[in-house]
Amino acid sequence: MSARGRSWRRGSSLPDDCLFCKLYREGDHVNATEGFVAIRDINPRAPVHLLVIPQRHVETFKDISAFSSHEAKAMLDFIAETAAHEGLSSYRVAVNCGPDAGQTVYHLHWHILGGHRLGPEG
Ligand code: 5GP
Ligand code: ZN
C-alpha cells in the first residue's frame, strides 16, 4: 500500500463496497495529494467537471466535523489547487448533501464545474 493509502485512515470505516473509496485507491486521478484525489466525473455537466474525493470516508457534508481543522484546510486548499491545475480561473465548487439535493454517492465529495459560463444548474 502507498504512503497515501495508509494515511488518515484512523477513525474511518472504509467500507469495501464504497465506489469513491475504490476510486480513491485505484481511480484515474487528475490530481492527488496527501489524503485527497481529484477525478473527472463520468457524466460531466460542464466542459470541466471534476470530483474531489477525500480518503476519509464520511457519508455526507453533515459529517464535516469528522475532519480535523488541518484536514479541512488541506481539503479546501486542494480544491483550489486542482481548479488552478486544470487551468480554470472561473468555476463553481458544490457539494450535494442528501437525497433532495441530488446526492447519489454517499462518500463526501466536492464538484468543481467550469470551462464555460455557468447557469444556475451548471
Ligand atoms: P452526487 O450526485 O453524489 O453529488 O455526485 C456523484 C457524482 O459521481 C455524479 O456526478 C456522477 O456522475 C459521478 N459518478 C458516479 N459514478 C462514477 C464513476 O464510476 N466514476 C466517476 N468518475 N464518476 C462517477
Ligand atoms: Zn467511501
mmCIF file with all atom_site columns, all heavy atoms in Angstrom, residues 70-96:
data_model
loop_
_atom_site.group_PDB
_atom_site.id
_atom_site.type_symbol
_atom_site.label_atom_id
_atom_site.label_alt_id
_atom_site.label_comp_id
_atom_site.label_asym_id
_atom_site.label_entity_id
_atom_site.label_seq_id
_atom_site.pdbx_PDB_ins_code
_atom_site.Cartn_x
_atom_site.Cartn_y
_atom_site.Cartn_z
_atom_site.occupancy
_atom_site.B_iso_or_equiv
_atom_site.pdbx_formal_charge
_atom_site.auth_seq_id
_atom_site.auth_comp_id
_atom_site.auth_asym_id
_atom_site.auth_atom_id
_atom_site.pdbx_PDB_model_num
ATOM 1   N N   . HIS A 1 70 ? -6.922  20.862 10.358  1.00 0.00 ? 70 HIS A N   1
ATOM 2   C CA  . HIS A 1 70 ? -5.817  20.713 9.400   1.00 0.00 ? 70 HIS A CA  1
ATOM 3   C C   . HIS A 1 70 ? -6.304  20.020 8.124   1.00 0.00 ? 70 HIS A C   1
ATOM 4   O O   . HIS A 1 70 ? -6.008  20.459 7.007   1.00 0.00 ? 70 HIS A O   1
ATOM 5   C CB  . HIS A 1 70 ? -4.687  19.923 10.058  1.00 0.00 ? 70 HIS A CB  1
ATOM 6   C CG  . HIS A 1 70 ? -3.596  19.549 9.115   1.00 0.00 ? 70 HIS A CG  1
ATOM 7   N ND1 . HIS A 1 70 ? -2.729  20.457 8.571   1.00 0.00 ? 70 HIS A ND1 1
ATOM 8   C CD2 . HIS A 1 70 ? -3.253  18.348 8.591   1.00 0.00 ? 70 HIS A CD2 1
ATOM 9   C CE1 . HIS A 1 70 ? -1.884  19.828 7.759   1.00 0.00 ? 70 HIS A CE1 1
ATOM 10  N NE2 . HIS A 1 70 ? -2.184  18.558 7.752   1.00 0.00 ? 70 HIS A NE2 1
ATOM 11  N N   . GLU A 1 71 ? -7.054  18.919 8.289   1.00 0.00 ? 71 GLU A N   1
ATOM 12  C CA  . GLU A 1 71 ? -7.561  18.185 7.118   1.00 0.00 ? 71 GLU A CA  1
ATOM 13  C C   . GLU A 1 71 ? -8.540  19.032 6.310   1.00 0.00 ? 71 GLU A C   1
ATOM 14  O O   . GLU A 1 71 ? -8.525  19.014 5.073   1.00 0.00 ? 71 GLU A O   1
ATOM 15  C CB  . GLU A 1 71 ? -8.312  16.927 7.563   1.00 0.00 ? 71 GLU A CB  1
ATOM 16  C CG  . GLU A 1 71 ? -7.469  15.748 7.934   1.00 0.00 ? 71 GLU A CG  1
ATOM 17  C CD  . GLU A 1 71 ? -8.374  14.624 8.419   1.00 0.00 ? 71 GLU A CD  1
ATOM 18  O OE1 . GLU A 1 71 ? -8.865  14.715 9.562   1.00 0.00 ? 71 GLU A OE1 1
ATOM 19  O OE2 . GLU A 1 71 ? -8.610  13.686 7.648   1.00 0.00 ? 71 GLU A OE2 1
ATOM 20  N N   . ALA A 1 72 ? -9.431  19.754 7.026   1.00 0.00 ? 72 ALA A N   1
ATOM 21  C CA  . ALA A 1 72 ? -10.436 20.562 6.334   1.00 0.00 ? 72 ALA A CA  1
ATOM 22  C C   . ALA A 1 72 ? -9.759  21.659 5.518   1.00 0.00 ? 72 ALA A C   1
ATOM 23  O O   . ALA A 1 72 ? -10.128 21.918 4.370   1.00 0.00 ? 72 ALA A O   1
ATOM 24  C CB  . ALA A 1 72 ? -11.416 21.147 7.338   1.00 0.00 ? 72 ALA A CB  1
ATOM 25  N N   . LYS A 1 73 ? -8.747  22.288 6.104   1.00 0.00 ? 73 LYS A N   1
ATOM 26  C CA  . LYS A 1 73 ? -7.989  23.322 5.385   1.00 0.00 ? 73 LYS A CA  1
ATOM 27  C C   . LYS A 1 73 ? -7.273  22.711 4.183   1.00 0.00 ? 73 LYS A C   1
ATOM 28  O O   . LYS A 1 73 ? -7.279  23.274 3.080   1.00 0.00 ? 73 LYS A O   1
ATOM 29  C CB  . LYS A 1 73 ? -7.001  23.972 6.352   1.00 0.00 ? 73 LYS A CB  1
ATOM 30  C CG  . LYS A 1 73 ? -5.916  24.840 5.729   1.00 0.00 ? 73 LYS A CG  1
ATOM 31  C CD  . LYS A 1 73 ? -6.440  26.209 5.365   1.00 0.00 ? 73 LYS A CD  1
ATOM 32  C CE  . LYS A 1 73 ? -5.331  27.251 5.186   1.00 0.00 ? 73 LYS A CE  1
ATOM 33  N NZ  . LYS A 1 73 ? -4.348  26.911 4.156   1.00 0.00 ? 73 LYS A NZ  1
ATOM 34  N N   . ALA A 1 74 ? -6.669  21.550 4.389   1.00 0.00 ? 74 ALA A N   1
ATOM 35  C CA  . ALA A 1 74 ? -5.949  20.883 3.295   1.00 0.00 ? 74 ALA A CA  1
ATOM 36  C C   . ALA A 1 74 ? -6.913  20.526 2.163   1.00 0.00 ? 74 ALA A C   1
ATOM 37  O O   . ALA A 1 74 ? -6.564  20.629 0.976   1.00 0.00 ? 74 ALA A O   1
ATOM 38  C CB  . ALA A 1 74 ? -5.249  19.625 3.820   1.00 0.00 ? 74 ALA A CB  1
ATOM 39  N N   . MET A 1 75 ? -8.130  20.121 2.524   1.00 0.00 ? 75 MET A N   1
ATOM 40  C CA  . MET A 1 75 ? -9.129  19.754 1.507   1.00 0.00 ? 75 MET A CA  1
ATOM 41  C C   . MET A 1 75 ? -9.515  20.983 0.683   1.00 0.00 ? 75 MET A C   1
ATOM 42  O O   . MET A 1 75 ? -9.552  20.927 -0.552  1.00 0.00 ? 75 MET A O   1
ATOM 43  C CB  . MET A 1 75 ? -10.345 19.132 2.199   1.00 0.00 ? 75 MET A CB  1
ATOM 44  C CG  . MET A 1 75 ? -11.426 18.645 1.265   1.00 0.00 ? 75 MET A CG  1
ATOM 45  S SD  . MET A 1 75 ? -12.473 17.374 2.025   1.00 0.00 ? 75 MET A SD  1
ATOM 46  C CE  . MET A 1 75 ? -13.108 18.193 3.462   1.00 0.00 ? 75 MET A CE  1
ATOM 47  N N   . LEU A 1 76 ? -9.778  22.100 1.358   1.00 0.00 ? 76 LEU A N   1
ATOM 48  C CA  . LEU A 1 76 ? -10.144 23.328 0.631   1.00 0.00 ? 76 LEU A CA  1
ATOM 49  C C   . LEU A 1 76 ? -8.976  23.816 -0.226  1.00 0.00 ? 76 LEU A C   1
ATOM 50  O O   . LEU A 1 76 ? -9.166  24.222 -1.381  1.00 0.00 ? 76 LEU A O   1
ATOM 51  C CB  . LEU A 1 76 ? -10.597 24.410 1.619   1.00 0.00 ? 76 LEU A CB  1
ATOM 52  C CG  . LEU A 1 76 ? -11.900 24.087 2.361   1.00 0.00 ? 76 LEU A CG  1
ATOM 53  C CD1 . LEU A 1 76 ? -12.187 25.167 3.410   1.00 0.00 ? 76 LEU A CD1 1
ATOM 54  C CD2 . LEU A 1 76 ? -13.079 23.948 1.414   1.00 0.00 ? 76 LEU A CD2 1
ATOM 55  N N   . ASP A 1 77 ? -7.772  23.753 0.309   1.00 0.00 ? 77 ASP A N   1
ATOM 56  C CA  . ASP A 1 77 ? -6.593  24.149 -0.479  1.00 0.00 ? 77 ASP A CA  1
ATOM 57  C C   . ASP A 1 77 ? -6.468  23.267 -1.723  1.00 0.00 ? 77 ASP A C   1
ATOM 58  O O   . ASP A 1 77 ? -6.149  23.753 -2.810  1.00 0.00 ? 77 ASP A O   1
ATOM 59  C CB  . ASP A 1 77 ? -5.312  24.004 0.356   1.00 0.00 ? 77 ASP A CB  1
ATOM 60  C CG  . ASP A 1 77 ? -5.124  25.119 1.364   1.00 0.00 ? 77 ASP A CG  1
ATOM 61  O OD1 . ASP A 1 77 ? -5.819  26.149 1.269   1.00 0.00 ? 77 ASP A OD1 1
ATOM 62  O OD2 . ASP A 1 77 ? -4.265  24.953 2.256   1.00 0.00 ? 77 ASP A OD2 1
ATOM 63  N N   . PHE A 1 78 ? -6.727  21.968 -1.556  1.00 0.00 ? 78 PHE A N   1
ATOM 64  C CA  . PHE A 1 78 ? -6.588  21.035 -2.681  1.00 0.00 ? 78 PHE A CA  1
ATOM 65  C C   . PHE A 1 78 ? -7.650  21.312 -3.753  1.00 0.00 ? 78 PHE A C   1
ATOM 66  O O   . PHE A 1 78 ? -7.371  21.186 -4.949  1.00 0.00 ? 78 PHE A O   1
ATOM 67  C CB  . PHE A 1 78 ? -6.684  19.584 -2.178  1.00 0.00 ? 78 PHE A CB  1
ATOM 68  C CG  . PHE A 1 78 ? -6.548  18.573 -3.284  1.00 0.00 ? 78 PHE A CG  1
ATOM 69  C CD1 . PHE A 1 78 ? -5.341  18.402 -3.954  1.00 0.00 ? 78 PHE A CD1 1
ATOM 70  C CD2 . PHE A 1 78 ? -7.640  17.796 -3.663  1.00 0.00 ? 78 PHE A CD2 1
ATOM 71  C CE1 . PHE A 1 78 ? -5.221  17.476 -4.983  1.00 0.00 ? 78 PHE A CE1 1
ATOM 72  C CE2 . PHE A 1 78 ? -7.523  16.868 -4.688  1.00 0.00 ? 78 PHE A CE2 1
ATOM 73  C CZ  . PHE A 1 78 ? -6.314  16.700 -5.344  1.00 0.00 ? 78 PHE A CZ  1
ATOM 74  N N   . ILE A 1 79 ? -8.843  21.699 -3.333  1.00 0.00 ? 79 ILE A N   1
ATOM 75  C CA  . ILE A 1 79 ? -9.889  22.044 -4.307  1.00 0.00 ? 79 ILE A CA  1
ATOM 76  C C   . ILE A 1 79 ? -9.424  23.236 -5.153  1.00 0.00 ? 79 ILE A C   1
ATOM 77  O O   . ILE A 1 79 ? -9.486  23.203 -6.390  1.00 0.00 ? 79 ILE A O   1
ATOM 78  C CB  . ILE A 1 79 ? -11.216 22.355 -3.591  1.00 0.00 ? 79 ILE A CB  1
ATOM 79  C CG1 . ILE A 1 79 ? -11.773 21.085 -2.940  1.00 0.00 ? 79 ILE A CG1 1
ATOM 80  C CG2 . ILE A 1 79 ? -12.234 22.958 -4.560  1.00 0.00 ? 79 ILE A CG2 1
ATOM 81  C CD1 . ILE A 1 79 ? -12.903 21.345 -1.932  1.00 0.00 ? 79 ILE A CD1 1
ATOM 82  N N   . ALA A 1 80 ? -8.944  24.282 -4.492  1.00 0.00 ? 80 ALA A N   1
ATOM 83  C CA  . ALA A 1 80 ? -8.481  25.475 -5.223  1.00 0.00 ? 80 ALA A CA  1
ATOM 84  C C   . ALA A 1 80 ? -7.273  25.144 -6.100  1.00 0.00 ? 80 ALA A C   1
ATOM 85  O O   . ALA A 1 80 ? -7.187  25.592 -7.254  1.00 0.00 ? 80 ALA A O   1
ATOM 86  C CB  . ALA A 1 80 ? -8.139  26.579 -4.229  1.00 0.00 ? 80 ALA A CB  1
ATOM 87  N N   . GLU A 1 81 ? -6.381  24.320 -5.574  1.00 0.00 ? 81 GLU A N   1
ATOM 88  C CA  . GLU A 1 81 ? -5.168  23.954 -6.317  1.00 0.00 ? 81 GLU A CA  1
ATOM 89  C C   . GLU A 1 81 ? -5.532  23.108 -7.543  1.00 0.00 ? 81 GLU A C   1
ATOM 90  O O   . GLU A 1 81 ? -4.945  23.272 -8.619  1.00 0.00 ? 81 GLU A O   1
ATOM 91  C CB  . GLU A 1 81 ? -4.233  23.197 -5.363  1.00 0.00 ? 81 GLU A CB  1
ATOM 92  C CG  . GLU A 1 81 ? -2.793  23.148 -5.783  1.00 0.00 ? 81 GLU A CG  1
ATOM 93  C CD  . GLU A 1 81 ? -2.486  21.929 -6.632  1.00 0.00 ? 81 GLU A CD  1
ATOM 94  O OE1 . GLU A 1 81 ? -2.941  20.820 -6.278  1.00 0.00 ? 81 GLU A OE1 1
ATOM 95  O OE2 . GLU A 1 81 ? -1.807  22.091 -7.644  1.00 0.00 ? 81 GLU A OE2 1
ATOM 96  N N   . THR A 1 82 ? -6.530  22.234 -7.391  1.00 0.00 ? 82 THR A N   1
ATOM 97  C CA  . THR A 1 82 ? -6.955  21.379 -8.506  1.00 0.00 ? 82 THR A CA  1
ATOM 98  C C   . THR A 1 82 ? -7.597  22.214 -9.611  1.00 0.00 ? 82 THR A C   1
ATOM 99  O O   . THR A 1 82 ? -7.339  21.984 -10.808 1.00 0.00 ? 82 THR A O   1
ATOM 100 C CB  . THR A 1 82 ? -7.937  20.306 -7.989  1.00 0.00 ? 82 THR A CB  1
ATOM 101 O OG1 . THR A 1 82 ? -7.247  19.474 -7.056  1.00 0.00 ? 82 THR A OG1 1
ATOM 102 C CG2 . THR A 1 82 ? -8.482  19.454 -9.123  1.00 0.00 ? 82 THR A CG2 1
ATOM 103 N N   . ALA A 1 83 ? -8.420  23.178 -9.239  1.00 0.00 ? 83 ALA A N   1
ATOM 104 C CA  . ALA A 1 83 ? -9.043  24.055 -10.244 1.00 0.00 ? 83 ALA A CA  1
ATOM 105 C C   . ALA A 1 83 ? -7.965  24.826 -11.006 1.00 0.00 ? 83 ALA A C   1
ATOM 106 O O   . ALA A 1 83 ? -8.012  24.932 -12.241 1.00 0.00 ? 83 ALA A O   1
ATOM 107 C CB  . ALA A 1 83 ? -10.027 25.003 -9.575  1.00 0.00 ? 83 ALA A CB  1
ATOM 108 N N   . ALA A 1 84 ? -6.968  25.338 -10.284 1.00 0.00 ? 84 ALA A N   1
ATOM 109 C CA  . ALA A 1 84 ? -5.879  26.076 -10.936 1.00 0.00 ? 84 ALA A CA  1
ATOM 110 C C   . ALA A 1 84 ? -5.065  25.143 -11.840 1.00 0.00 ? 84 ALA A C   1
ATOM 111 O O   . ALA A 1 84 ? -4.718  25.493 -12.973 1.00 0.00 ? 84 ALA A O   1
ATOM 112 C CB  . ALA A 1 84 ? -4.979  26.717 -9.879  1.00 0.00 ? 84 ALA A CB  1
ATOM 113 N N   . HIS A 1 85 ? -4.805  23.942 -11.351 1.00 0.00 ? 85 HIS A N   1
ATOM 114 C CA  . HIS A 1 85 ? -4.068  22.915 -12.093 1.00 0.00 ? 85 HIS A CA  1
ATOM 115 C C   . HIS A 1 85 ? -4.765  22.589 -13.414 1.00 0.00 ? 85 HIS A C   1
ATOM 116 O O   . HIS A 1 85 ? -4.143  22.317 -14.428 1.00 0.00 ? 85 HIS A O   1
ATOM 117 C CB  . HIS A 1 85 ? -3.986  21.685 -11.185 1.00 0.00 ? 85 HIS A CB  1
ATOM 118 C CG  . HIS A 1 85 ? -3.246  20.513 -11.718 1.00 0.00 ? 85 HIS A CG  1
ATOM 119 N ND1 . HIS A 1 85 ? -3.863  19.428 -12.304 1.00 0.00 ? 85 HIS A ND1 1
ATOM 120 C CD2 . HIS A 1 85 ? -1.913  20.232 -11.745 1.00 0.00 ? 85 HIS A CD2 1
ATOM 121 C CE1 . HIS A 1 85 ? -2.959  18.537 -12.651 1.00 0.00 ? 85 HIS A CE1 1
ATOM 122 N NE2 . HIS A 1 85 ? -1.772  18.997 -12.330 1.00 0.00 ? 85 HIS A NE2 1
ATOM 123 N N   . GLU A 1 86 ? -6.090  22.668 -13.396 1.00 0.00 ? 86 GLU A N   1
ATOM 124 C CA  . GLU A 1 86 ? -6.899  22.367 -14.584 1.00 0.00 ? 86 GLU A CA  1
ATOM 125 C C   . GLU A 1 86 ? -7.028  23.598 -15.493 1.00 0.00 ? 86 GLU A C   1
ATOM 126 O O   . GLU A 1 86 ? -7.651  23.537 -16.537 1.00 0.00 ? 86 GLU A O   1
ATOM 127 C CB  . GLU A 1 86 ? -8.279  21.886 -14.110 1.00 0.00 ? 86 GLU A CB  1
ATOM 128 C CG  . GLU A 1 86 ? -9.104  21.155 -15.127 1.00 0.00 ? 86 GLU A CG  1
ATOM 129 C CD  . GLU A 1 86 ? -8.519  19.807 -15.547 1.00 0.00 ? 86 GLU A CD  1
ATOM 130 O OE1 . GLU A 1 86 ? -7.622  19.258 -14.860 1.00 0.00 ? 86 GLU A OE1 1
ATOM 131 O OE2 . GLU A 1 86 ? -8.966  19.305 -16.584 1.00 0.00 ? 86 GLU A OE2 1
ATOM 132 N N   . GLY A 1 87 ? -6.459  24.716 -15.079 1.00 0.00 ? 87 GLY A N   1
ATOM 133 C CA  . GLY A 1 87 ? -6.475  25.926 -15.892 1.00 0.00 ? 87 GLY A CA  1
ATOM 134 C C   . GLY A 1 87 ? -7.741  26.754 -15.743 1.00 0.00 ? 87 GLY A C   1
ATOM 135 O O   . GLY A 1 87 ? -7.992  27.651 -16.549 1.00 0.00 ? 87 GLY A O   1
ATOM 136 N N   . LEU A 1 88 ? -8.515  26.473 -14.711 1.00 0.00 ? 88 LEU A N   1
ATOM 137 C CA  . LEU A 1 88 ? -9.770  27.207 -14.510 1.00 0.00 ? 88 LEU A CA  1
ATOM 138 C C   . LEU A 1 88 ? -9.501  28.489 -13.725 1.00 0.00 ? 88 LEU A C   1
ATOM 139 O O   . LEU A 1 88 ? -8.859  28.457 -12.679 1.00 0.00 ? 88 LEU A O   1
ATOM 140 C CB  . LEU A 1 88 ? -10.768 26.343 -13.731 1.00 0.00 ? 88 LEU A CB  1
ATOM 141 C CG  . LEU A 1 88 ? -11.213 25.040 -14.393 1.00 0.00 ? 88 LEU A CG  1
ATOM 142 C CD1 . LEU A 1 88 ? -12.075 24.228 -13.426 1.00 0.00 ? 88 LEU A CD1 1
ATOM 143 C CD2 . LEU A 1 88 ? -11.975 25.322 -15.680 1.00 0.00 ? 88 LEU A CD2 1
ATOM 144 N N   . SER A 1 89 ? -10.033 29.595 -14.214 1.00 0.00 ? 89 SER A N   1
ATOM 145 C CA  . SER A 1 89 ? -9.955  30.836 -13.437 1.00 0.00 ? 89 SER A CA  1
ATOM 146 C C   . SER A 1 89 ? -11.322 31.203 -12.889 1.00 0.00 ? 89 SER A C   1
ATOM 147 O O   . SER A 1 89 ? -11.441 32.003 -11.959 1.00 0.00 ? 89 SER A O   1
ATOM 148 C CB  . SER A 1 89 ? -9.397  31.975 -14.288 1.00 0.00 ? 89 SER A CB  1
ATOM 149 O OG  . SER A 1 89 ? -10.209 32.150 -15.426 1.00 0.00 ? 89 SER A OG  1
ATOM 150 N N   . SER A 1 90 ? -12.365 30.604 -13.472 1.00 0.00 ? 90 SER A N   1
ATOM 151 C CA  . SER A 1 90 ? -13.734 30.875 -13.056 1.00 0.00 ? 90 SER A CA  1
ATOM 152 C C   . SER A 1 90 ? -14.439 29.528 -12.984 1.00 0.00 ? 90 SER A C   1
ATOM 153 O O   . SER A 1 90 ? -14.410 28.761 -13.950 1.00 0.00 ? 90 SER A O   1
ATOM 154 C CB  . SER A 1 90 ? -14.376 31.777 -14.120 1.00 0.00 ? 90 SER A CB  1
ATOM 155 O OG  . SER A 1 90 ? -15.477 32.468 -13.633 1.00 0.00 ? 90 SER A OG  1
ATOM 156 N N   . TYR A 1 91 ? -15.005 29.226 -11.861 1.00 0.00 ? 91 TYR A N   1
ATOM 157 C CA  . TYR A 1 91 ? -15.582 27.884 -11.684 1.00 0.00 ? 91 TYR A CA  1
ATOM 158 C C   . TYR A 1 91 ? -16.510 27.877 -10.478 1.00 0.00 ? 91 TYR A C   1
ATOM 159 O O   . TYR A 1 91 ? -16.562 28.830 -9.701  1.00 0.00 ? 91 TYR A O   1
ATOM 160 C CB  . TYR A 1 91 ? -14.472 26.824 -11.505 1.00 0.00 ? 91 TYR A CB  1
ATOM 161 C CG  . TYR A 1 91 ? -13.506 27.105 -10.375 1.00 0.00 ? 91 TYR A CG  1
ATOM 162 C CD1 . TYR A 1 91 ? -13.739 26.628 -9.091  1.00 0.00 ? 91 TYR A CD1 1
ATOM 163 C CD2 . TYR A 1 91 ? -12.360 27.869 -10.600 1.00 0.00 ? 91 TYR A CD2 1
ATOM 164 C CE1 . TYR A 1 91 ? -12.862 26.892 -8.058  1.00 0.00 ? 91 TYR A CE1 1
ATOM 165 C CE2 . TYR A 1 91 ? -11.471 28.145 -9.561  1.00 0.00 ? 91 TYR A CE2 1
ATOM 166 C CZ  . TYR A 1 91 ? -11.722 27.653 -8.299  1.00 0.00 ? 91 TYR A CZ  1
ATOM 167 O OH  . TYR A 1 91 ? -10.853 27.910 -7.266  1.00 0.00 ? 91 TYR A OH  1
ATOM 168 N N   . ARG A 1 92 ? -17.251 26.771 -10.354 1.00 0.00 ? 92 ARG A N   1
ATOM 169 C CA  . ARG A 1 92 ? -18.145 26.596 -9.207  1.00 0.00 ? 92 ARG A CA  1
ATOM 170 C C   . ARG A 1 92 ? -17.684 25.386 -8.402  1.00 0.00 ? 92 ARG A C   1
ATOM 171 O O   . ARG A 1 92 ? -17.313 24.354 -8.968  1.00 0.00 ? 92 ARG A O   1
ATOM 172 C CB  . ARG A 1 92 ? -19.578 26.375 -9.705  1.00 0.00 ? 92 ARG A CB  1
ATOM 173 C CG  . ARG A 1 92 ? -20.585 26.109 -8.585  1.00 0.00 ? 92 ARG A CG  1
ATOM 174 C CD  . ARG A 1 92 ? -22.017 26.087 -9.131  1.00 0.00 ? 92 ARG A CD  1
ATOM 175 N NE  . ARG A 1 92 ? -22.351 27.380 -9.692  1.00 0.00 ? 92 ARG A NE  1
ATOM 176 C CZ  . ARG A 1 92 ? -23.125 27.563 -10.778 1.00 0.00 ? 92 ARG A CZ  1
ATOM 177 N NH1 . ARG A 1 92 ? -23.652 26.541 -11.392 1.00 0.00 ? 92 ARG A NH1 1
ATOM 178 N NH2 . ARG A 1 92 ? -23.367 28.773 -11.219 1.00 0.00 ? 92 ARG A NH2 1
ATOM 179 N N   . VAL A 1 93 ? -17.747 25.503 -7.088  1.00 0.00 ? 93 VAL A N   1
ATOM 180 C CA  . VAL A 1 93 ? -17.492 24.375 -6.182  1.00 0.00 ? 93 VAL A CA  1
ATOM 181 C C   . VAL A 1 93 ? -18.817 24.055 -5.511  1.00 0.00 ? 93 VAL A C   1
ATOM 182 O O   . VAL A 1 93 ? -19.484 24.961 -4.988  1.00 0.00 ? 93 VAL A O   1
ATOM 183 C CB  . VAL A 1 93 ? -16.435 24.744 -5.126  1.00 0.00 ? 93 VAL A CB  1
ATOM 184 C CG1 . VAL A 1 93 ? -16.250 23.611 -4.125  1.00 0.00 ? 93 VAL A CG1 1
ATOM 185 C CG2 . VAL A 1 93 ? -15.105 25.085 -5.798  1.00 0.00 ? 93 VAL A CG2 1
ATOM 186 N N   . ALA A 1 94 ? -19.228 22.772 -5.554  1.00 0.00 ? 94 ALA A N   1
ATOM 187 C CA  . ALA A 1 94 ? -20.529 22.410 -4.999  1.00 0.00 ? 94 ALA A CA  1
ATOM 188 C C   . ALA A 1 94 ? -20.454 21.076 -4.265  1.00 0.00 ? 94 ALA A C   1
ATOM 189 O O   . ALA A 1 94 ? -19.681 20.188 -4.635  1.00 0.00 ? 94 ALA A O   1
ATOM 190 C CB  . ALA A 1 94 ? -21.567 22.315 -6.114  1.00 0.00 ? 94 ALA A CB  1
ATOM 191 N N   . VAL A 1 95 ? -21.264 20.980 -3.235  1.00 0.00 ? 95 VAL A N   1
ATOM 192 C CA  . VAL A 1 95 ? -21.454 19.708 -2.527  1.00 0.00 ? 95 VAL A CA  1
ATOM 193 C C   . VAL A 1 95 ? -22.956 19.453 -2.473  1.00 0.00 ? 95 VAL A C   1
ATOM 194 O O   . VAL A 1 95 ? -23.712 20.324 -2.013  1.00 0.00 ? 95 VAL A O   1
ATOM 195 C CB  . VAL A 1 95 ? -20.911 19.760 -1.084  1.00 0.00 ? 95 VAL A CB  1
ATOM 196 C CG1 . VAL A 1 95 ? -21.206 18.460 -0.354  1.00 0.00 ? 95 VAL A CG1 1
ATOM 197 C CG2 . VAL A 1 95 ? -19.421 20.048 -1.069  1.00 0.00 ? 95 VAL A CG2 1
ATOM 198 N N   . ASN A 1 96 ? -23.386 18.305 -2.947  1.00 0.00 ? 96 ASN A N   1
ATOM 199 C CA  . ASN A 1 96 ? -24.776 17.898 -2.790  1.00 0.00 ? 96 ASN A CA  1
ATOM 200 C C   . ASN A 1 96 ? -24.882 17.110 -1.494  1.00 0.00 ? 96 ASN A C   1
ATOM 201 O O   . ASN A 1 96 ? -24.185 16.114 -1.314  1.00 0.00 ? 96 ASN A O   1
ATOM 202 C CB  . ASN A 1 96 ? -25.225 17.051 -3.981  1.00 0.00 ? 96 ASN A CB  1
ATOM 203 C CG  . ASN A 1 96 ? -25.170 17.820 -5.290  1.00 0.00 ? 96 ASN A CG  1
ATOM 204 O OD1 . ASN A 1 96 ? -25.442 19.016 -5.316  1.00 0.00 ? 96 ASN A OD1 1
ATOM 205 N ND2 . ASN A 1 96 ? -24.799 17.142 -6.369  1.00 0.00 ? 96 ASN A ND2 1
#
